[in-house]
Amino acid sequence: MFSYRHAFHAGNHADVFKHTVLIATLQYLTDKDAALTVLDSHAGAGLYRLDGDYARTSGEAADGVVRLFAAPGSALAPALQAYVDMVGAFNQGHRLRVYPGSPCITQRLLRESDKLKLFEWHPTDLRALAGHVAQLQAGRQVAVFHEDGFQGIRKFLPPPQRRALLLCDPSYEIKSDYGKVLDLATDSLKRFATGCYMFWYPIIGRPEAHELPRRLKTLASKAGKSWLHATLTVKSGQRTAAGSLKRPGLPASGMFLINPPFTLKAALTPALPQMVQLLAQDRHATHTLESAG
């Protein structure tokens, strides 16, 4: 269970997609006066070196965030420009050396009255996360927990401020993660029905990966809650006759939100086609965007 390290994948197309959605959601939620609690169930290390051994081994950032910064004179959609500006704020000049994970992105957008709860179970990433949080000098605003996020966040719902955003993005290397995500969504809605719940998932050749958004959609609909489902595909994930991938690596991912900001769909409508254009690795690149409620 400790084999996954996000440092290999930092800044890839899935991060571009996920963090664009996260920023647009946080910008809306922090525009209201009431304090907000953000829960990050699988925080990772929080900050990553793109010129380090992990990122250079995979090279995934080259087909992700690096492409956005290399696009000359691109007039980006506001949501995508906000993402580029956020990543740029963690770097000096035009060279990308550092990639901020969701903990650092979130903390940058929070106000003094807001709280951030970070959960990480991997011992190495936990140490890195604690060090990066200490550098933020955020005091009691940010708390780090060495816990299984699927369980740990439950004690913070409902939050005292009665406003919460949950980001849940496990590695899904273990099949049981899909079921745990659905259980977490079900339990969270029972504990705090008005929270904003955000779930990232990989779109791969597993039945569980295709069933998860359908089951989340059913859950939200039965609970009478609005939802938004977006996907980004950058390349084909078809298998050869021998069973190996024609193109190795993650081909696509999805974001499912329950109680999303009502402004989010409008923000993603121009941003997703631009992601397809800038991040496509073959002719199969595409996107979807649907919502209800």
Side-chain angles (χ1 to χ4, degrees):
M1 65 181 298
F2 290 148
S3 62
Y4 179 84
R5 301 294 302 283
H6 192 69
F8 287 103
H9 312 288
N12 69 359
H13 61 86
D15 268 358
V16 173
F17 175 38
K18 174 174 59 180
H19 292 148
T20 297
V21 176
L22 175 64
I23 292 168
T25 300
L26 279 168
Q27 286 177 329
Y28 172 82
L29 292 176
T30 55
D31 195 43
K32 297 182 179 295
D33 292 336
L36 175 71
T37 295
V38 181
L39 307 169
D40 193 333
S41 67
H42 297 77
L47 197 67
Y48 305 93
R49 292 300 301 250
L50 294 180
D51 56 357
D53 291 340
Y54 293 123
R56 286 188 299 181
T57 296
S58 69
E60 291 184 19
D63 286 325
V65 63
V66 173
R67 287 197 184 188
L68 270 64
F69 279 79
S74 296
L76 298 177
L80 203 50
Q81 185 64 56
Y83 165 79
V84 169
D85 291 344
M86 175 62 73
V87 176
F90 285 85
N91 292 270
Q92 294 182 346
H94 298 287
R95 185 172 180 182
L96 286 174
R97 296 177 180 272
V98 174
Y99 187 82
S102 53
C104 288
I105 288 174
T106 299
Q107 193 278 332
R108 185 66 65 96
L109 292 171
L110 294 185
R111 305 154 302 178
E112 289 186 6
S113 59
D114 300 325
K115 302 294 184 183
L116 176 58
K117 314 293 186 185
L118 304 173
F119 297 85
E120 180 53 49
W121 193 233
H122 194 292
T124 304
D125 282 350
L126 176 74
R127 288 192 293 271
L129 177 64
H132 292 142
V133 168
Q135 292 177 10
L136 296 176
Q137 297 183 334
R140 295 184 177 181
Q141 183 186 53
V142 183
V144 177
F145 300 91
H146 185 200
E147 297 182 40
D148 176 2
F150 284 123
Q151 298 297 325
I153 67 167
R154 299 178 189 231
K155 60 177 173 284
F156 294 105
L157 293 175
Q161 302 91 340
R162 311 302 296 184
R163 297 184 70 232
L165 167 66
L166 164 65
L167 170 62
C168 180
D169 61 338
S171 67
Y172 296 93
E173 282 203 324
I174 306 171
K175 280 187 179 182
S176 59
D177 279 356
Y178 295 93
K180 289 180 179 179
V181 167
L182 186 65
D183 290 343
L184 178 60
T186 302
D187 182 75
S188 297
L189 280 175
K190 289 179 180 178
R191 292 174 184 267
F192 187 51
T194 58
C196 179
Y197 300 106
M198 178 183 300
F199 304 96
W200 176 88
Y201 68 97
I203 300 177
I204 55 177
R206 273 186 175 177
E208 297 87 353
H210 298 276
E211 290 171 3
L212 180 59
R214 291 196 291 266
R215 297 177 75 178
L216 288 170
K217 188 184 302 183
T218 299
L219 172 65
S221 299
K222 286 185 176 180
K225 301 299 179 183
S226 59
W227 55 266
L228 181 145
H229 181 217
T231 67
L232 174 68
T233 300
V234 298
K235 61 184 177 182
S236 171
Q238 293 181 350
R239 298 179 181 277
T240 64
S244 61
L245 285 174
K246 290 182 179 178
R247 289 175 172 268
L250 181 69
S253 63
M255 292 288 286
F256 195 99
L257 287 86
I258 300 175
N259 294 328
F262 77 93
T263 56
L264 185 58
K265 187 173 184 179
L268 294 179
T269 296
L272 279 167
Q274 285 193 333
M275 289 187 216
V276 172
Q277 178 185 2
L278 294 170
L279 302 179
Q281 296 183 33
D282 65 22
R283 62 184 178 85
H284 297 281
T286 186
H287 76 279
T288 65
L289 179 61
E290 57 177 343
S291 64

